[in-house]
Amino acid sequence: MMGRPFTQVDVFTDRLTLGNPVAVVHDAGGLDDEALAAFARWTNLSETTFLLPPTDERADYRLRIFTPGGELPFAGHPTLGSARAWLHAGGTSRTAGVIVQECGVGLVQVRRAGDRLAFAAPGLRRSGPVDEPLATQVSAALGLDAAQVRGIEWIDNGPGWLGVLVDSAETVLGIEPDQPAMPVRAVGVAGPYPEPRADEPLLEVRAFVGGLGVPEDPVTGSLNAGLAQWLIGARIVPGSYTAQQGTRLGRRGRIHISQEEDGLWVGGDTVIGVTGTVTLD
C-alpha cells in the first residue's frame, strides 16, 4: 500500500471548524475510480478531491472531485481548498498569482489576493426559469408558501443546482426541508438581510443536496457562483457582496462575490487543518 500526502482544508472561513472542510489526496495517480469513490465515502465529507498531473498543458494540475454519492465535474469549496493544499505542498503555478485547475468543466482559474483565494465562476450549463409543476414541488419540499418565494431558476454549473430566492434571511434559516420529497438533487436557497452594513452579509444561503449524499452542505462555492450569476444578472443584488452560509449547522461561512471585467469571482479564506499521509492503492 502506498502512502500519499494528505491535507484537510477548511474553506470559506479564517477560523478552523467554522467553514466547510475538504479532504485532499495529493499524487493520486494510479488509483482507479472505485478507490476514489470508496475513499470519498469513507471520509464522509461533502467533497473529497484527488490531485493529478494535468492533461492540458495550460493547467497546473488536474482535480477530480467526489461526494459520498459520486463524482462532480465542478465544485467551489473543493476548488479553493485543493488550490490551498497544492500551494501548501510547494506547488508553483505557471503564471504568477494565477492557478489553473483542470477538472470536469474544463479549465478554472484561481487567483491569489493576499491570503484569500478566488475562483472564476464557470458558465452555467443550464439557466432560466423552472417550469411551474417542478417549482411547486420544490417549494412544497422546502415548506415554503407562495408569498415567501421571489423566484426559482436553474443555476447549474455542474452539480445540478436549482436556485430559490425567498423574501428574507429569516425565511432561509427557518426552512425544515422534506428531503425525500425533493424532486431534484441539488437545491440552493437564498434570502436577503434587511439593510446590512457594508461589512455584513447581504444574503443568507443554504444548500440542500440529499441527491449528492449530503443532506445539507455547510458552505458551497458552486451554489454561490450560480446564485450570483442569476441575481447580479437580474439586478437583484449589486455586483459585489458577501453571502453567509452554514449558520444552521453551527458554521460561519463567508463567501465574497465580485463581478469584474474579466468575469465573476467567488472568494474565501482557507485554513489548513490536517496534514499527513493516507494509505491508498
Side-chain angles (χ1 to χ4, degrees), residues 101 206 272:
Q101 169 184 292
R206 293 177 72 185
I272 300 290

Side-chain angles (χ1 to χ4, degrees), residues 257-273:
I257 302 294
S258 180
Q259 179 69 63
E260 301 180 15
E261 289 184 2
D262 59 349
L264 179 76
W265 293 87
V266 180
D269 295 317
T270 52
V271 181
I272 300 290

Side-chain angles (χ1 to χ4, degrees), residues 12 20 76-77 161 206-207 217-225 245 255:
F12 293 119
N20 195 1
H77 101 270
W161 290 113
R206 293 177 72 185
D217 193 41
V219 200
T220 318
S222 61
L223 168 59
N224 278 279
Q245 192 180 345
I255 306 96

Side-chain angles (χ1 to χ4, degrees), residues 1-7 24-31 50 52 276-281:
M1 299 290 283
M2 179 177 175
R4 303 170 191 266
F6 174 85
T7 311
V24 184
V25 178
H26 304 247
D27 301 334
L31 296 172
F50 302 88
L52 296 154
T277 58
V278 59
T279 304
L280 284 174
D281 211 345

Side-chain angles (χ1 to χ4, degrees), residues 11 14 17 34 43 87 90 177 184 192 235 238 245-246 260 265 269:
V11 183
D14 59 1
T17 75
E34 179 49 39
T43 68
L87 290 168
V184 294
R235 298 185 178 180
Q245 192 180 345
E260 301 180 15
W265 293 87
D269 295 317

Side-chain angles (χ1 to χ4, degrees), residues 47 65 67 71-76 78 105 122-125 154-162 184-187 208-209 211-212 220-223 226:
E47 278 103 359
I65 305 167
T67 75
E71 187 170 8
L72 295 178
F74 172 75
V105 296
L124 297 181
R125 294 181 162 193
W154 290 108
I155 52 169
D156 181 21
N157 49 21
W161 290 113
L162 184 151
V184 294
R185 69 176 189 169
V187 175
F208 303 110
V209 282
L212 299 177
T220 318
S222 61
L223 168 59

